[in-house]
Amino acid sequence: MRFFPWGFWLLCVASAPARGDSGSKARSCAEVRQLYGAKGFSLNGVPQAEISGEHLRICPQGYTCCTSEMEENFANKSRSEFEAMMKEAGRSVQTILTAQYRSFDNYFQDLLNKSEKALYDTFPSLYGELYTQNTKVFKDLYSELRRYYRGSNINLEEALNEFWTRLLERLFKLMNAQYHITDEYLDCMVKHAEQHKPFGEVPRDLKVKATRAFIVARSYAQGFLVGSDVVKKVSQVSLSHECTRAVMKLMYCPHCRGMASVKPCSNYCLNVVKGCLANQADLNTEWKYLMDALVAVADRIDGPSNVDTVIGTIHMRISEAISNLQENKDSITAKVFQGCGNPKISTKGSSSEDKKRRGKVTLEAKSSAVALEMLVLDAKGNLTALKSYWVTLPGVLCSKKVMASAAADDKCWNGMTKGSYLPEVMGDGLANQINNPEVEVDITKPDMTIRQQIMQLKIMTNRLGNANMGNDVDFQDASDDMSGSGSGDSCPDDVCGKRLSKSPSTRQPETHAIPKQSGHGVIGASSRSLPSAFLLFLLGASIAVQHLWR
């Protein structure tokens, strides 16, 4: 019995509210008061020394320097600060992607501008009236090329075909100015002339190469914009109530407990941030696919679909085509007259300008291949570095923003006191947060804003995959792009090429109305007929059973 008082005393000591240190004297709250004032709050009612903390709802209820109002204010402040951290991190990624877009866009536009300027500067002296009387035809071509690159829903092949048709009509008329050629005769001329390739192989060759180059160029540029827009939207998602409490406990409760100099434990911080950014981490798979798709298209831009070679020489190919027509003028005219009849003689007479300016010419184009190579290398380096952005974000925030302690630190803030943090670090993504010890996460309710952005990543990746394979895109969402949810299971070879059965695309990263596509009606009809087939099966089975009972 003589040991009872000692045991009772030890029990009383153990059950007493814990302090930040071993001293029995109430500690000063000067540090918290300074911090609280620096955050813009009034110091009225802020304790001068520690008080009992039974009133606390987020921080541990030991001796504290925080009142209920201070705890609430710190919670609101932690939410706004954490959301600001997310936006700041997102802005750094947006800056990189936007810079890559602008670099390529400036390069591409400059390439197109130089080709157009070279045409305007050289064609008047080379072709005289053949050019000066048809200036609008050439201007319209470059205007259509720019519109296509900017995302206008036009058919590039049709635009190129229209250019060659209009050019042929105008040149045929000029080179046969001694005849009166009507619009009806021109229609007939075009039909007959196309069989004999008046411009040689240039129109077909340019259509194939230019179409591929423009497809990859505009999809590549759009990919950077969509990626940047996804980051912007996801970085603006508000913090939940549970996360607000968890972040407050992580960032400000040490101050309330008089441990301002104690850093949060690294793994503790990771669990808090991974729980709060669980939905964002689910972007990871589709985000990686987008980065890989952009890298693959970058290789094509500086490879098989080299935009420097194709876009920078458009004026040269047009010049080559006109020279071919001049050389073959007599035979083409004879075949047209044979098929369409001889037109009436005009009073204008022959064109001396045409006679004076016949013969093949060769133009030169200054290559910017080195600039393109450097641009692509820079883009690939940045894209590779950004691939794991969403899953490395918690670690970045903890180390650079929250200033968490080293992983091996056993004297850090663990959410309750200064010491070690024992729970394991959760995995990435929503599904892995079911047992998160720091944040209560409802894994059955994914954030719909983020799920929508996952869909936009899928759409853009599909678009890039199609462009990489040389397929044109119409910049409209397809219904297949909107089916399913989540981040997908795996990405097949050739930049998800086998997943890219359609060629959808959008100018904006928002979801648009979904147009019907050919073939979908058959599938839909088949699906709708299943209930009827099932009923017929039940009816047949019922009749068979009745027959057996008889």
Side-chain angles (χ1 to χ4, degrees):
M1 294 296 291
R2 61 186 293 183
F3 294 102
F4 174 76
W6 286 100
F8 181 75
W9 180 82
L10 288 172
L11 181 63
C12 290
V13 171
S15 61
R19 286 179 176 270
D21 59 20
S22 58
S24 59
K25 184 180 179 181
R27 290 177 303 180
S28 169
C29 293
E31 287 185 348
V32 178
R33 288 174 60 85
Q34 183 179 0
L35 173 68
Y36 196 66
K39 295 295 179 180
F41 301 114
S42 170
L43 295 180
N44 292 334
V46 176
Q48 295 286 349
E50 286 183 329
I51 59 175
S52 180
E54 289 84 356
H55 56 279
L56 298 177
R57 295 292 177 266
I58 300 176
C59 297
Q61 294 182 334
Y63 282 100
T64 183
C65 284
C66 292
T67 63
S68 295
E69 181 182 359
M70 292 174 66
E71 188 181 44
E72 182 180 352
N73 287 337
F74 273 141
N76 291 332
K77 195 67 177 177
S78 64
R79 178 179 62 193
S80 62
E81 288 178 344
F82 189 84
E83 290 175 353
M85 290 179 199
M86 274 292 294
K87 290 178 182 178
E88 183 182 350
R91 277 193 294 269
S92 65
V93 177
Q94 288 175 254
T95 299
I96 293 172
L97 294 175
T98 303
Q100 292 300 324
Y101 162 76
R102 286 175 179 164
S103 295
F104 177 77
D105 182 65
N106 290 337
Y107 166 82
F108 189 85
Q109 295 277 11
D110 187 57
L111 207 58
L112 201 56
N113 291 341
K114 286 180 178 177
S115 173
E116 185 176 21
K117 185 177 185 301
L119 187 148
Y120 295 160
D121 290 344
T122 57
F123 275 36
S125 60
L126 291 175
Y127 301 112
E129 288 183 359
L130 292 182
Y131 169 75
T132 56
Q133 294 189 21
N134 298 290
T135 306
K136 189 175 186 305
V137 177
F138 300 101
K139 286 185 177 180
D140 287 348
L141 170 64
Y142 281 93
S143 176
E144 287 292 276
L145 293 177
R146 287 191 181 87
R147 286 182 60 225
Y148 178 86
Y149 170 69
R150 285 299 185 195
S152 294
N153 193 16
I154 62 175
N155 187 305
L156 184 57
E157 290 190 7
E158 290 181 2
L160 289 170
N161 288 338
E162 176 67 16
F163 164 74
W164 292 115
T165 299
R166 289 178 62 197
L167 186 61
L168 178 60
E169 290 175 348
R170 300 292 187 87
L171 297 187
F172 185 85
K173 247 181 142 176
L174 274 174
M175 291 189 295
N176 294 280
Q178 67 271 35
Y179 297 103
H180 177 66
I181 299 176
T182 64
D183 290 343
E184 292 76 12
Y185 193 88
L186 285 177
D187 291 339
C188 179
M189 179 275 296
V190 169
K191 292 177 183 177
H192 282 80
E194 284 180 350
Q195 306 172 29
H196 310 297
K197 299 181 180 179
F199 293 118
E201 295 294 335
V202 174
R204 185 196 65 81
D205 185 57
L206 182 62
K207 181 168 66 175
V208 170
K209 292 180 178 178
T211 298
R212 288 177 179 172
F214 271 90
I215 287 172
V216 297
R218 79 166 183 176
S219 297
Y220 184 68
Q222 187 70 12
F224 287 113
L225 292 180
V226 169
S228 177
D229 198 73
V230 166
V231 174
K232 179 181 179 181
K233 285 183 168 61
V234 171
S235 298
Q236 292 175 343
V237 173
S238 300
L239 210 60
S240 68
H241 175 70
E242 292 77 13
C243 279
T244 298
R245 293 173 60 88
V247 173
M248 153 65 186
K249 189 176 180 181
L250 171 75
M251 297 174 65
Y252 286 107
C253 285
H255 295 276
C256 291
R257 292 299 307 276
M259 303 179 189
S261 61
V262 180
K263 296 180 179 180
C265 298
S266 177
N267 288 352
Y268 169 43
C269 181
L270 285 174
N271 274 341
V272 171
V273 180
K274 284 193 174 193
C276 293
L277 301 184
N279 282 282
Q280 285 85 340
D282 281 344
L283 286 156
N284 181 58
T285 300
E286 294 301 330
W287 179 261
K288 287 196 299 183
Y289 290 167
L290 178 65
M291 299 297 105
D292 286 338
L294 282 168
V295 168
V297 173
D299 284 331
R300 182 164 288 277
I301 283 174
D302 192 29
S305 300
N306 191 292
V307 295
D308 177 72
T309 302
V310 178
I311 310 304
T313 60
I314 291 176
H315 61 290
M316 296 172 61
R317 303 311 308 278
I318 295 174
S319 176
E320 181 184 348
I322 294 175
S323 296
N324 289 338
L325 179 63
Q326 287 179 317
E327 289 181 357
N328 299 318
K329 176 208 167 185
D330 294 339
S331 63
I332 294 297
T333 299
K335 290 171 182 175
V336 170
F337 284 4
Q338 183 180 357
C340 300
N342 293 327
K344 294 180 181 179
I345 299 295
S346 172
T347 57
K348 292 182 180 180
S350 178
S351 172
S352 59
E353 186 77 17
D354 173 51
K355 291 179 180 178
K356 187 175 66 174
R357 302 177 187 276
R358 296 179 63 174
K360 198 164 187 175
V361 294
T362 303
L363 301 178
E364 293 184 0
K366 294 182 180 179
S367 175
S368 57
V370 175
L372 177 60
E373 183 181 357
M374 295 303 296
L375 188 150
V376 167
L377 283 174
D378 184 53
K380 288 167 67 175
N382 280 302
L383 291 168
T384 302
L386 291 177
K387 279 177 66 173
S388 58
Y389 170 72
W390 296 107
V391 293
T392 57
L393 183 58
V396 171
L397 292 179
C398 283
S399 62
K400 295 184 179 180
K401 302 298 181 181
V402 181
M403 302 298 291
S405 67
D409 190 358
D410 60 353
K411 294 181 180 179
C412 49
W413 172 251
N414 60 19
M416 295 299 293
T417 187
K418 181 169 68 174
S420 301
Y421 183 77
L422 301 179
E424 64 177 344
V425 178
M426 298 292 100
D428 301 308
L430 191 61
N432 287 317
Q433 306 309 312
I434 189 170
N435 294 318
N436 192 311
E438 308 304 335
V439 188
E440 185 179 341
V441 182
D442 188 348
I443 65 171
T444 66
K445 294 182 179 180
D447 186 279
M448 298 314 296
T449 298
I450 293 177
R451 296 294 140 172
Q452 185 183 29
Q453 297 312 306
I454 290 174
M455 290 298 102
Q456 297 307 315
L457 291 174
K458 286 185 177 182
I459 290 170
M460 192 64 241
T461 301
N462 283 352
R463 203 177 305 153
L464 287 162
N466 277 300
N468 195 37
M469 294 184 289
N471 298 328
D472 202 356
V473 289
D474 59 8
F475 274 60
Q476 290 179 347
D477 292 352
S479 56
D480 279 4
D481 293 315
M482 300 306 296
S483 61
S485 61
S487 55
D489 299 322
S490 61
C491 186
D493 295 334
D494 197 15
V495 197
C496 312
K498 296 180 181 178
R499 298 166 67 224
L500 315 178
S501 58
K502 306 294 178 185
S503 57
S505 57
T506 54
R507 269 168 293 172
Q508 299 293 334
E510 289 81 25
T511 305
H512 303 291
I514 312 303
K516 294 182 180 179
Q517 293 188 351
S518 59
H520 285 226
V522 177
I523 297 173
S526 174
S527 300
R528 288 191 293 271
S529 68
L530 287 176
S532 299
F534 185 64
L535 290 174
L536 288 173
F537 171 79
L538 289 178
L539 180 60
S542 175
I543 294 172
V545 170
Q546 291 177 10
H547 178 73
L548 290 173
W549 275 104
R550 290 175 184 171

